[in-house]
Amino acid sequence: MSLGKKQAGPRPSTSSTFEFQRTVEEPGFRYMMRIASPNFKNISRHTTARDVLMYYAKKKDRVKEELTKASGLICLTSDNWKSEHTNGEYICVTTHWVDKDWKLQKRIIRFRALFPPHDGLNIADELVLCLSQWGIDKKIFSFTLDNASYNDVMVSCLKNRFRANRAILCDGAFFQVRCCAHILNLIVKAGLELAADFVGKIRNGIRYIKKSGICRKRFYDVADKSFHLNVTKKLRQDVYVLDYWGQRDKDYQMFALSNEEWRNVAILCKFLKVFYDVTCVFSGSNYPKANLYFRGVLKVHKVFLDTVKGPYSFLTPMLILSCAAILDPRYKLNYVQYCFTTIYGIHASDFVETILSNLRLLFDEYVKKSKSKSSSLAGSSNVSDKIPVDSDFDEHNDNCNNRFFPNSADFGGYFDESDDYKRYLNESSTRSEKSQLDIYLEEPELELNSEIDVLDYWSKSSVRYNELSLLAHDLLAIPISTVASESAFSMGKKVITLLRSSLKPKTVQAVVCLDDWMRAKGFSAEIGCKKDDDDDDNDEDDVSSVAF
């Protein structure tokens, strides 16, 4: 049978989703596959959907077990996306945590269609249901979200519910983290608005060159022979070539920039390069990023904001990320002080003091949690584990004690100073003893540009800094952007296409989550699949993790 003949069977319309889904069940398609591969086994779309859902349920149980058995708390990111083919609003929820081997983990746990209204109250209900179904509603440390107004309402609702269950640290002071990628995007937009005039000239000038084949060829000849540029690449806004071309092409002179405008272009390009580098670091997923926030934002500030009307106060509300920077042994408190001094000058000490007091407050929560676990373990220990003592020896000691050390009954029975003295000693030792946080801060920092794995550092320091390492374990898992959730929408666009727009919501969630879980387990590497451009770039991660 010729594949080009229409007699092979009814040909599905490319505009019909229903017909496309039934293509695999058409006689012509099945006949073609039998000829191409005699071992081909016909599988209906219903069987495929059933198998996907069964496999999803099986993998979900494993992921749920990983989350419930996680030794520390779990951080979340969430974002919304609207499909252009279904006009439906979807929510993606991603979990982030550090496992028992001190490795950063990420899993998508929800990719579902939202029912209107798409407001903060409705989204809060959706998240509460999701966290309850996964059994992690009492293990949440932070929530990273963008700056949409409905997110503020949603966070307020979540805080109230978690307070009622006593499942939130420090009354929610560290619960919400603003997406740093969105913050930097606002800064860039503000800068580009100031440069709109000369940027527009450059873009229009390049359109003018590209519209004519003869003009484009002449331009590339100049770029090659006079400036020795690589002309195999696309046309770029090279300062010298465009300036040179503007002096020789009369029609292009309307797009020519003045010397001052070219200086502004140089400043803008310098900023965009730094912004690109910082964004790559913030967007990585294979290493902690909360500790890198300060140094990245400071680079952006020093390169660009000093040239505008800044400074912008985007460092102020990110207290939790300030604490994470302090727990990076290369930075500690001195680097945070340096950052705030650079931006706020003489007022920096107020910010630093606020950050340090909040870090101590958070650390105290972990000390209390650690002591409660220790006391519960001690209370559950068997009494028979104690060293046996001879009863005759006890009786002899009691007689001696009564003879040489009269008990409280001999003094009227009203006061036994021994217990009070023990409390005094405990309080004195507590007042004089330095905390693990104090000892950590007093030790010298590591080299600022040293290449270290911060999780490996705290894994090795967990014996010495027991409670503080528990705090670092959770704090360094905080994602500083919603990129992890937003990247799932790239997969969503591939699943929900024009020809697959009638997929059931549970099928869409199963496909997106399974893709994420299998990639997390190295499935793509095992089958030799090349990752898409939208996925995390491991090479980028390896470089960016030490870029600061």
Side-chain angles (χ1 to χ4, degrees):
M1 179 189 72
S2 173
L3 298 182
K5 293 182 179 180
K6 295 183 180 180
Q7 289 80 1
R11 184 178 181 181
S13 170
T14 56
S15 63
S16 173
T17 302
F18 181 71
E19 291 182 9
F20 178 81
Q21 290 178 339
R22 297 188 58 182
T23 298
V24 295
E25 298 174 355
E26 296 291 344
F29 177 83
R30 296 191 172 191
Y31 178 75
M32 176 189 72
M33 294 306 301
R34 282 199 302 271
I35 297 299
S37 176
N39 296 326
F40 172 73
K41 182 180 179 181
N42 293 319
I43 301 175
S44 70
R45 69 184 190 277
H46 299 293
T47 301
T48 303
R50 183 197 65 198
D51 290 348
V52 167
L53 292 175
M54 287 177 59
Y55 191 63
Y56 165 75
K58 181 179 177 181
K59 289 292 184 182
K60 180 180 178 180
D61 290 338
R62 295 183 183 178
V63 176
K64 186 175 181 180
E65 185 178 3
E66 286 182 320
L67 291 171
T68 53
K69 290 185 177 180
S71 56
L73 299 180
I74 296 170
C75 303
L76 301 173
T77 57
S78 179
D79 205 355
N80 295 352
W81 168 68
K82 186 175 183 179
S83 170
E84 61 180 328
H85 302 300
T86 66
N87 287 326
E89 190 90 9
Y90 291 80
I91 185 172
C92 178
V93 181
T94 309
T95 57
H96 307 257
W97 77 99
V98 176
D99 63 19
K100 60 182 179 61
D101 297 321
W102 288 84
K103 301 296 182 183
L104 191 62
Q105 300 292 340
K106 173 186 76 73
R107 301 288 188 277
I108 296 174
I109 62 172
R110 201 168 192 82
F111 193 95
R112 292 292 296 267
L114 284 172
F115 294 100
H118 305 138
D119 55 18
L121 294 175
N122 191 30
I123 295 175
D125 291 338
E126 179 76 15
L127 289 170
V128 169
L129 176 62
C130 170
L131 301 179
S132 177
Q133 289 176 342
W134 282 87
I136 57 174
D137 49 331
K138 295 184 179 180
K139 296 187 65 173
I140 303 304
F141 184 83
S142 69
F143 219 128
T144 302
L145 302 159
D146 63 23
N147 298 314
S149 58
Y150 62 80
N151 279 332
D152 294 333
V153 178
M154 181 264 288
V155 167
S156 178
C157 294
L158 288 180
K159 281 184 178 180
N160 291 334
R161 299 199 185 195
F162 288 152
R163 285 192 187 105
N165 297 330
R166 298 182 179 179
I168 191 169
L169 285 173
C170 301
D171 199 35
F174 305 101
F175 185 70
Q176 185 179 9
V177 178
R178 302 282 183 178
C179 175
C180 297
H182 283 259
I183 294 174
L184 292 179
N185 184 49
L186 294 174
I187 299 171
V188 172
K189 284 184 176 180
L192 290 179
E193 285 179 2
L194 298 176
D197 291 341
F198 58 82
V199 170
K201 283 186 179 180
I202 293 175
R203 289 174 175 170
N204 291 330
I206 290 177
R207 292 191 188 100
Y208 163 77
I209 295 173
K210 284 184 174 181
K211 74 176 183 179
S212 169
I214 297 175
C215 183
R216 184 168 60 249
K217 185 179 182 304
R218 288 171 50 205
F219 180 85
Y220 275 114
D221 287 341
V222 171
D224 181 22
K225 296 176 181 178
S226 301
F227 295 92
H228 309 290
L229 298 176
N230 184 1
V231 294
T232 60
K233 296 184 177 181
K234 293 182 179 180
L235 179 61
R236 298 190 178 189
Q237 297 93 326
D238 186 273
V239 174
Y240 301 105
V241 179
L242 291 178
D243 191 32
Y244 181 88
W245 186 259
Q247 297 173 8
R248 286 157 178 75
D249 189 325
K250 294 182 180 179
D251 293 331
Y252 183 83
Q253 288 180 0
M254 63 182 297
F255 307 114
L257 272 65
S258 64
N259 291 334
E260 182 181 356
E261 287 175 325
W262 278 124
R263 282 194 295 270
N264 291 335
V265 169
I267 294 172
L268 184 62
C269 289
K270 186 178 180 181
F271 159 69
L272 291 177
K273 174 62 172 64
V274 175
F275 171 78
Y276 173 79
D277 293 338
V278 172
T279 303
C280 287
V281 173
F282 285 1
S283 302
S285 63
N286 294 340
Y287 53 87
K289 302 176 291 296
N291 53 308
L292 303 175
Y293 167 80
F294 260 83
R295 198 170 185 190
V297 172
L298 183 66
K299 283 181 177 290
V300 173
H301 173 89
K302 294 184 70 174
V303 169
F304 185 74
L305 297 184
D306 289 341
T307 66
V308 196
K309 298 179 180 179
Y312 287 75
S313 58
F314 51 86
L315 284 176
T316 308
M318 310 300 279
L319 292 177
I320 189 67
L321 300 184
S322 311
C323 297
I326 293 173
L327 292 181
D328 189 319
R330 295 168 296 184
Y331 305 154
K332 295 193 177 181
L333 189 60
N334 285 336
Y335 191 80
V336 173
Q337 288 175 328
Y338 164 73
C339 289
F340 277 108
T341 302
T342 302
I343 294 182
Y344 297 111
I346 59 175
H347 303 291
S349 58
D350 297 334
F351 292 101
V352 175
E353 187 61 35
T354 301
I355 291 168
L356 191 56
S357 62
N358 277 277
L359 180 58
R360 293 188 188 281
L361 181 66
L362 191 59
F363 176 66
D364 289 341
E365 291 278 342
Y366 277 79
V367 172
K368 293 176 184 177
K369 189 188 302 183
S370 178
K371 287 182 178 179
S372 63
K373 287 183 179 180
S374 300
S375 60
S376 62
L377 290 175
S380 62
S381 61
N382 198 323
V383 179
S384 62
D385 293 337
K386 297 180 179 179
I387 301 175
V389 181
D390 192 336
S391 59
D392 293 336
F393 181 75
D394 275 347
E395 185 178 351
H396 172 73
N397 279 346
D398 288 340
N399 292 332
C400 291
N401 288 336
N402 290 334
R403 195 181 340 159
F404 296 104
F405 302 100
N407 57 35
S408 58
D410 296 323
F411 294 99
Y414 298 110
F415 176 70
D416 183 0
E417 79 282 359
S418 60
D419 292 336
D420 190 60
Y421 181 59
K422 288 179 182 177
R423 284 194 294 270
Y424 168 77
L425 291 177
N426 289 333
E427 291 174 359
S428 299
S429 62
T430 302
R431 286 193 296 266
S432 60
E433 185 180 299
K434 291 183 179 179
S435 69
Q436 294 176 13
L437 178 59
D438 293 327
I439 296 173
Y440 166 77
L441 293 176
E442 288 179 358
E443 291 184 343
E445 301 87 356
L446 300 181
E447 175 63 32
L448 183 62
N449 294 318
S450 58
E451 299 179 5
I452 68 165
D453 184 339
V454 68
L455 292 180
D456 182 63
Y457 169 86
W458 281 107
S459 174
K460 294 175 180 177
S461 303
S462 57
V463 176
R464 185 182 183 193
Y465 301 118
N466 185 20
E467 289 92 356
L468 190 59
S469 67
L470 295 176
L471 171 57
H473 183 277
D474 295 339
L475 196 57
L476 294 173
I478 297 177
I480 61 175
S481 73
T482 58
V483 170
S485 293
E486 290 177 356
S487 62
F489 301 144
S490 299
M491 181 60 186
K493 292 177 182 177
K494 298 173 185 176
V495 175
I496 308 172
T497 64
L498 178 63
L499 301 177
R500 289 199 296 267
S501 58
S502 61
L503 286 174
K504 293 181 179 179
K506 61 180 181 180
T507 305
V508 173
Q509 174 168 264
V511 173
V512 173
C513 289
L514 279 174
D515 177 80
D516 177 73
W517 299 345
M518 294 166 81
R519 289 178 186 275
K521 295 297 183 181
F523 179 79
S524 296
E526 290 175 6
I527 63 174
C529 291
K530 184 180 184 300
K531 290 191 176 183
D532 299 318
D533 293 336
D534 293 325
D535 298 327
D536 298 324
D537 188 341
N538 288 334
D539 293 335
E540 193 77 56
D541 283 350
D542 292 339
V543 175
S544 300
S545 61
V546 295
F548 287 168

